[in-house]
Amino acid sequence: MADNLKEESKQHYITGKESKAIAKENSRQMRKYEKYKKRKAKESEYVTEMKDPNNIVEFEDLHTYFFTDTGTVKAVNGVTFNIPAGSTVGVVGESGCGKSVTSLSLMQLVQAPSGQIVSGSIRFRSNMFKLDKHGKKIPVYETEVVDGVEKPKLNSKGKPVIKRNELGGYVYEMEEKVVDIAKMPTEIMRMIRGREISMIFQEPMTSLNPVFTIGNQLDEVGRLHIQGISKKDVKEHSIRMLNLVGIADPEGVYKKYPHELSGGMRQRVMIAMALLCNPRLIVADEPTTALDVTIQAQILDLLREIKGKINGSIMLITHDLGVVAEMADYVVVMYAGKIIEMGTAEDIYDRPLHPYTIGLQKSKPTVDGDVDKLYCIPGFVPNPIDMPNYCYFRDRCEMCKEECAGEYPELIKVSDTHSVSCYLYRDMAAKAAPDEEKTDGRNS
């Protein structure tokens, strides 16, 4: 008995030799991926095509790993889903399931050098700047009619006048391209991050810089992404955005520091910062965390209203099923770095299939529920460094079958919009579905 306990305890430790080998391999891998991100790439290396033209983002078999001293953590391990244009997609799951790492991969903000996108694709429909043969942006010039002929308008120095947009910045020639963010160099990604994809971070008090005023931090975003904008115009635009997110005294808040604002006000500032450049996609990483219920409702109403105004899409990350039910058109349920179920909000809430999804719903308190004790999913998430080959939820599942000890189950498409990764459903489908439908379900 004592020998068995010693053997089990040894499994939780690594020798000095093993530690050195891991560190050496980690260093090699990290150098390789960092060099890849900093390379000078041709456009053909990262320009691609969407599988569905109605999508704004397509994740395909995304793997994002963290190289640690004890081994490789597979934080995102083969994630595939789409974000349709003009829709809200909710990503749910318990803490540590890979929600935030998926969003950080989309932004190329995974903490490097230990965190790296190892493989897979993140296709994004981008409105990119046209570049001349020297790699510089091509400006659009103002014109005027002289003697019946349209000519470029000249300034007092005899140089052509560049057109300005409604924000006061220069106008450049643009073209729509689909880019693979996973293969894109960091330098090129900077032209997309903040301008076309923006992020509302989880905790505004740690995301905002305490030594700069709200105005300084908002203006920095405008100056960085709106080229040619004047100090006056960028300040006016920042105040307009504060007003848009429902701040009663935008001029006063513009001059304040983060610690002078409440949690709800700081969250509104973060939303204003994310919306400053009219992005195509907003990534909201638990935007209502640490806020009381009343403020949560206001923030969600604000996001819904703004999404309509900018005609954009939202990727909403949360562990609150109530928030997703209210906001999302489509829902993706993640567990231990993989997607275990996805579908429309109606599919997930009215017809949940995976035992984990059912457990999440049962663990949420309801107003009309007469329950003395909330349901708790038994067990723990497996060690992310040494994941099993079988279904990751098997050891916690109260409905597991003998087949669950086999290979990890693939996502099965049960309808046009609903997919699930579970052997239990295959057994149920085999009994309930006609022969033709069974064949289609397995092949999809």
Side-chain angles (χ1 to χ4, degrees):
M1 182 68 176
D3 291 340
N4 290 338
L5 289 173
K6 285 181 180 179
E7 287 297 321
E8 288 181 10
S9 65
K10 286 180 181 178
Q11 294 177 5
H12 298 284
Y13 296 93
I14 59 175
T15 64
K17 188 176 181 181
E18 290 172 330
S19 180
K20 287 180 181 179
I22 290 171
K24 186 176 180 180
E25 177 61 19
N26 285 349
S27 179
R28 186 186 71 81
Q29 293 280 3
M30 289 186 289
R31 283 199 306 270
K32 180 181 77 172
Y33 292 117
E34 285 296 298
K35 185 178 179 181
Y36 183 75
K37 288 191 295 186
K38 294 175 182 177
R39 77 195 190 284
K40 290 186 177 180
K42 295 178 181 178
E43 196 175 77
S44 57
E45 293 182 36
Y46 56 83
V47 172
T48 181
E49 291 183 0
M50 285 285 188
K51 287 191 173 180
D52 184 347
N54 297 316
N55 294 329
I56 187 75
V57 176
E58 293 177 351
F59 293 89
E60 184 175 2
D61 196 28
L62 178 67
H63 292 76
T64 302
Y65 296 169
F66 288 89
F67 300 97
T68 71
D69 293 339
T70 53
T72 302
V73 176
K74 298 179 179 179
V76 175
N77 192 14
V79 165
T80 301
F81 70 96
N82 303 325
I83 302 178
S87 67
T88 299
V89 174
V91 183
V92 299
E94 60 191 331
S95 296
C97 71
K99 307 184 301 294
S100 294
V101 177
T102 302
S103 68
L104 292 171
S105 300
L106 171 62
M107 299 285 289
Q108 272 199 14
L109 288 176
V110 180
Q111 187 174 3
S114 61
Q116 299 288 345
I117 298 173
V118 173
S119 64
S121 297
I122 308 172
R123 294 184 289 273
F124 174 68
R125 189 179 301 283
S126 173
N127 197 26
M128 298 189 73
F129 295 104
K130 275 189 178 181
L131 303 177
D132 60 20
K133 61 182 180 181
H134 302 294
K136 295 184 178 180
K137 302 172 189 174
I138 303 172
V140 177
Y141 296 105
E142 291 186 17
T143 59
E144 60 182 354
V145 178
V146 180
D147 297 330
V149 180
E150 189 176 22
K151 295 183 178 181
K153 189 176 181 180
L154 304 178
N155 60 18
S156 57
K157 296 181 180 179
K159 293 183 178 180
V161 178
I162 302 175
K163 274 188 180 180
R164 292 185 179 269
N165 55 29
E166 66 277 6
L167 303 180
Y170 293 141
V171 177
Y172 295 93
E173 291 187 25
M174 311 293 289
E175 57 183 337
E176 189 170 87
K177 290 182 180 178
V178 177
V179 295
D180 190 342
I181 290 173
K183 297 178 177 64
M184 180 179 284
T186 304
E187 192 64 33
I188 306 297
M189 182 61 196
R190 289 195 182 105
M191 293 193 289
I192 293 176
R193 188 197 303 128
R195 184 177 65 88
E196 295 192 89
I197 309 175
S198 60
M199 190 166 185
I200 303 167
F201 290 94
Q202 187 168 350
E203 177 48 61
M205 193 62 210
T206 55
S207 302
L208 293 169
N209 194 322
V211 300
F212 291 104
T213 64
I214 298 300
N216 281 334
Q217 297 181 63
L218 286 170
D219 291 352
E220 183 183 15
V221 177
R223 289 194 300 269
L224 183 64
H225 294 291
I226 309 172
Q227 193 167 345
I229 192 169
S230 65
K231 287 185 178 180
K232 179 183 176 183
D233 287 339
V234 78
K235 179 179 178 180
E236 289 177 356
H237 184 49
S238 297
I239 291 173
R240 276 199 304 273
M241 297 311 298
L242 290 174
N243 188 52
L244 178 67
V245 298
I247 291 177
D249 180 22
E251 289 86 358
V253 170
Y254 180 88
K255 299 174 183 176
K256 290 185 177 180
Y257 289 88
H259 70 270
E260 298 179 275
L261 305 179
S262 66
M265 292 280 274
R266 286 195 292 266
Q267 193 63 276
R268 288 171 189 268
V269 169
M270 290 300 297
I271 295 172
M273 192 177 293
L275 297 173
L276 205 71
C277 299
N278 296 330
R280 290 185 160 196
L281 176 67
I282 301 170
V283 180
D285 187 2
E286 301 194 23
T288 58
T289 300
L291 299 178
D292 61 73
V293 178
T294 308
I295 302 300
Q296 278 188 27
Q298 291 177 8
I299 296 296
L300 294 178
D301 288 340
L302 176 63
L303 280 173
R304 195 183 297 107
E305 180 185 348
I306 286 171
K307 173 179 167 283
K309 285 183 179 178
I310 66 172
N311 194 28
S313 307
I314 296 178
M315 180 180 174
L316 179 64
I317 298 165
T318 182
H319 54 256
D320 191 332
L321 291 172
V323 170
V324 173
E326 186 178 345
M327 288 285 295
D329 303 308
Y330 302 93
V331 181
V332 174
V333 185
M334 290 188 68
Y335 180 76
K338 283 186 175 288
I339 293 174
I340 52 101
E341 188 169 357
M342 61 181 176
T344 63
E346 185 179 345
D347 288 332
I348 300 300
Y349 284 90
D350 294 345
R351 297 179 294 278
L353 296 175
H354 200 284
Y356 177 69
T357 311
I358 295 168
L360 285 178
Q361 293 201 23
K362 286 167 65 177
S363 64
K364 181 172 175 58
T366 57
V367 176
D368 56 350
D370 186 17
V371 181
D372 295 330
K373 188 176 180 181
L374 283 175
Y375 175 79
C376 177
I377 299 173
F380 301 95
V381 179
N383 186 345
I385 293 175
D386 188 20
M387 300 297 279
N389 294 325
Y390 52 81
C391 174
Y392 298 163
F393 192 64
R394 181 196 136 189
D395 296 333
R396 304 179 68 187
C397 184
E398 297 175 341
M399 296 184 250
C400 69
K401 301 280 185 178
E402 189 177 332
E403 296 88 343
C404 297
E407 292 184 359
Y408 193 94
E410 296 180 358
L411 273 172
I412 304 170
K413 199 168 184 181
V414 298
S415 73
D416 290 339
T417 57
H418 198 176
S419 301
V420 64
S421 171
C422 184
Y423 281 111
L424 178 64
Y425 174 73
R426 288 186 178 184
D427 295 341
M428 294 167 58
K431 295 176 183 177
D435 290 343
E436 291 183 5
E437 292 182 8
K438 281 186 264 179
T439 305
D440 292 340
R442 291 193 189 98
N443 291 338
S444 59

